[in-house]
Amino acid sequence: MLFIILSVLLFSYSNVLWKKNLYNASIPFLVSYRALLTSIISFVILFSFFKIDNITTIEFIKITVGSLFGAIGLFSMLFVIKKASLQWLGVYSLIGIIFTIAYLGLFETIDIKKSAVGLLIIALGFVGFIYSNKETQLKITRKQHLLLLLMTFSFSCSGLLHWKNLTSNTPPLLIIANQEFIVFLTGILFTFRQGDGNLYKSHMKIYFKRVLLMSVVIFLALLFNFLALKETNPMITSLLFLAIPLTTIVFSAFFFKEKLSSKNILCISIIVMGYLLTEL
């Protein structure tokens, strides 16, 4: 439980740091810079204290596929929250349990019929949140909705794949190092593709302290997240991690003074009620 609490707070604060630092920064540059530092931290600790000689090629591929989904989810998220409210990130994160339940119903011995009522209530609250913000400052475009949906799907796939990797006794630090290195490669590829390679000379010193803080926060968040996943199944962890999107929404109001209307509170409460009813 301690790992989950720490991960919840750190992931939520990481979202705040992303939002703060994205105002005047290139997304690919900031992502690659942060991932570079996190990769260095991860690999140094990994090779100093762990042996990975017993990792097979198939296991490495599985880890990398999970990391690719994580990278897709991260970029999808950042392209939205650079301009949109963190409330949308929180709400879309709440519906991620739908993909988790679908996976467990298809590939694990779990009867998802018991979760049907909860899923319907989640859908009701989600649709209500969208419609209540059609004419408000929180309104987002169809493209942003699609990116958030891609984010939710990708993060859910990444979490499930890494859960399977962890149950095979893969060291959490290996997954973190792989995850961050994949993110780094993706970020640097997009940076040079956009013609922003000069930012590595002109902006690395400027952003160093902020990026270092982001790196340490996300490294610890990922470490505690994987340690929590290793201890329990993804359904229970998904329910316990309900606090991450809710804390993100609270942080959005606290750090960015984003208004949380009574309608939005009602819709989020309905989603949470459905979320809790999905517990099997």
Side-chain angles (χ1 to χ4, degrees):
M1 182 64 72
L2 176 62
F3 291 143
I4 292 174
I5 294 172
L6 291 171
S7 184
V8 165
L9 294 174
L10 289 168
F11 268 126
S12 300
Y13 186 53
S14 177
N15 292 333
V16 170
L17 292 176
W18 275 124
K19 179 75 174 174
K20 280 187 172 183
N21 289 294
L22 281 175
Y23 281 126
N24 298 310
S26 160
I27 291 175
F29 163 74
L30 198 62
V31 169
S32 60
Y33 192 6
R34 192 223 65 182
L36 172 63
L37 296 184
T38 314
S39 297
I40 293 172
I41 295 171
S42 304
F43 279 116
V44 168
I45 297 175
L46 177 65
F47 290 121
S48 298
F49 300 100
F50 295 90
K51 292 183 179 181
I52 57 172
D53 299 339
N54 59 338
I55 300 296
T56 66
T57 302
I58 297 298
E59 289 173 331
F60 182 77
I61 291 173
K62 289 179 180 178
I63 295 169
T64 303
V65 171
S67 298
L68 284 170
F69 274 113
I72 293 170
L74 177 62
F75 276 96
S76 300
M77 177 188 85
L78 296 180
F79 281 124
V80 175
I81 69 169
K82 182 169 185 174
K83 296 181 179 179
S85 167
L86 283 178
Q87 289 184 38
W88 285 109
L89 171 59
V91 168
Y92 267 91
S93 296
L94 284 171
I95 68 170
I97 195 172
I98 295 174
F99 297 111
T100 301
I101 292 174
Y103 169 84
L104 294 175
L106 290 171
F107 302 105
E108 305 289 335
T109 56
I110 292 180
D111 183 10
I112 64 173
K113 292 180 181 178
K114 297 178 181 178
S115 302
V117 174
L119 293 175
L120 287 173
I121 293 175
I122 289 174
L124 176 65
F126 178 67
V127 172
F129 188 89
I130 291 176
Y131 274 92
S132 69
N133 290 288
K134 287 187 71 174
E135 303 300 329
T136 69
Q137 291 183 342
L138 292 182
K139 180 182 177 181
I140 59 176
T141 66
R142 183 177 300 178
K143 180 180 178 180
Q144 288 174 315
H145 278 295
L146 291 174
L147 283 171
L148 285 170
L149 188 61
L150 177 61
M151 173 205 76
T152 305
F153 174 76
S154 298
F155 279 153
S156 297
C157 291
S158 179
L160 287 165
L161 287 168
H162 285 325
W163 168 66
K164 298 294 287 185
N165 292 326
L166 287 166
T167 56
S168 301
N169 293 320
T170 302
L173 271 169
L174 174 59
I175 297 177
I176 295 173
N178 180 277
Q179 171 79 66
E180 290 304 296
F181 187 65
I182 293 297
V183 170
F184 166 69
L185 291 178
T186 307
I188 201 169
L189 176 64
F190 278 114
T191 300
F192 281 101
R193 186 174 182 180
Q194 292 180 353
D196 292 332
N198 62 306
L199 291 176
Y200 292 110
K201 291 183 178 180
S202 60
H203 284 56
M204 287 188 76
K205 187 175 181 179
I206 297 172
Y207 281 91
F208 178 73
K209 290 183 180 179
R210 283 176 280 180
V211 173
L212 180 61
L213 174 61
M214 294 171 69
S215 301
V216 173
V217 168
I218 195 61
F219 172 78
L220 293 175
L222 287 168
L223 178 60
F224 294 137
N225 174 44
F226 289 138
L227 289 173
L229 276 174
K230 193 171 184 177
E231 292 183 353
T232 185
N233 67 64
M235 183 65 184
I236 295 175
T237 303
S238 182
L239 288 167
L240 291 171
F241 275 95
L242 167 66
I244 293 178
L246 293 179
T247 307
T248 297
I249 291 171
V250 172
F251 280 8
S252 74
F254 179 78
F255 286 99
F256 302 106
K257 311 303 179 185
E258 295 178 354
K259 184 178 179 181
L260 192 58
S261 68
S262 56
K263 288 183 179 180
N264 286 352
I265 292 174
L266 175 61
C267 292
I268 292 169
S269 299
I270 292 172
I271 295 173
V272 171
M273 185 189 306
Y275 201 111
L276 295 174
L277 287 174
T278 59
E279 184 173 2
L280 300 177

